[in-house]
Amino acid sequence: IAARAARAQGTRTQPGRAVQAALAAQQQAAEKARQGNDFYSFWAQRKNGRRFPSYGDFDAKQIAELWPNTMLLSCGAVGGGNVNFTQVMRLTGAAATAEPAEEVTFTPMLTEWMLAIGREAVSAGKPVQDIETFQNTVGSSSYRIVALPLGNEETQVDHVLCNLARA
């Protein structure tokens, strides 16, 4: 009766909490997909006709603010098909303006997966994306990774940007 009276007065009733929660979850999933695509687009725009951009083409703080949980993998010597990372650094932005990062529990398995995907991006010389589910102390969590190669030369990758997000 109240809904009918509200419609008669030209006002709308608020959707139920379950509907609001479903809409929020749908919007959040769309935002995650958009961010992953934007991360790639951000990288692609900086190529400027090259095979891949260099690390100097990026502002680490800007990346960290736009895409929390982004790591920079620094490549050592690449030989015999083996890729060695000499440094793994989490990019950080200005805490006052950055969006709160989604909680990522860096287990040994998650870290090894990130390094394996980074090695794949180095070997292929092109972006790599993957989704995987890992067990943790509270059950399991699914993550999406986008790994983007960087290099000063057309043929050699010297860094990889890896963004981790909940899938």
Side-chain angles (χ1 to χ4, degrees):
I1 297 176
R4 229 181 294 158
R7 279 194 299 271
Q9 293 176 354
T11 60
R12 302 185 97 182
T13 59
Q14 293 293 323
R17 286 186 182 147
V19 172
Q20 288 177 336
L23 288 172
Q26 186 179 31
Q27 288 173 337
Q28 188 176 26
E31 177 65 17
K32 284 181 184 181
R34 185 193 63 74
Q35 285 179 347
N37 290 338
D38 285 351
F39 187 60
Y40 173 80
S41 296
F42 190 76
W43 172 85
Q45 289 171 354
R46 277 144 185 82
K47 289 186 345 178
N48 293 324
R50 298 172 288 175
R51 185 172 176 200
F52 31 76
S54 72
Y55 178 59
D57 294 330
F58 294 92
D59 176 358
K61 286 184 180 181
Q62 181 185 23
I63 291 170
E65 289 174 9
L66 293 171
W67 298 281
N69 300 315
T70 297
M71 307 292 176
L72 178 68
L73 311 179
S74 300
C75 299
V78 178
N82 294 325
V83 177
N84 178 33
F85 293 118
T86 58
Q87 183 179 17
V88 177
M89 179 176 68
R90 185 174 189 162
L91 301 182
T92 57
T97 61
E99 289 286 319
E102 293 180 73
E103 186 59 38
V104 173
T105 306
F106 284 95
T107 63
M109 293 295 292
L110 179 64
T111 302
E112 183 54 42
W113 175 62
M114 179 186 66
L115 295 173
I117 298 300
R119 286 185 193 100
E120 191 176 329
V122 171
S123 297
K126 62 182 184 178
V128 176
Q129 179 174 294
D130 195 15
I131 295 175
E132 189 69 49
T133 301
F134 296 93
Q135 296 299 317
N136 55 38
T137 57
V138 294
S140 65
S141 298
S142 294
Y143 294 98
R144 177 183 40 80
I145 187 170
V146 177
L148 306 173
L150 308 175
N152 287 322
E153 301 175 19
E154 283 291 314
T155 59
Q156 186 173 345
V157 176
D158 54 27
H159 292 87
V160 177
L161 281 175
C162 290
N163 178 256
L164 292 166
R166 293 219 183 231

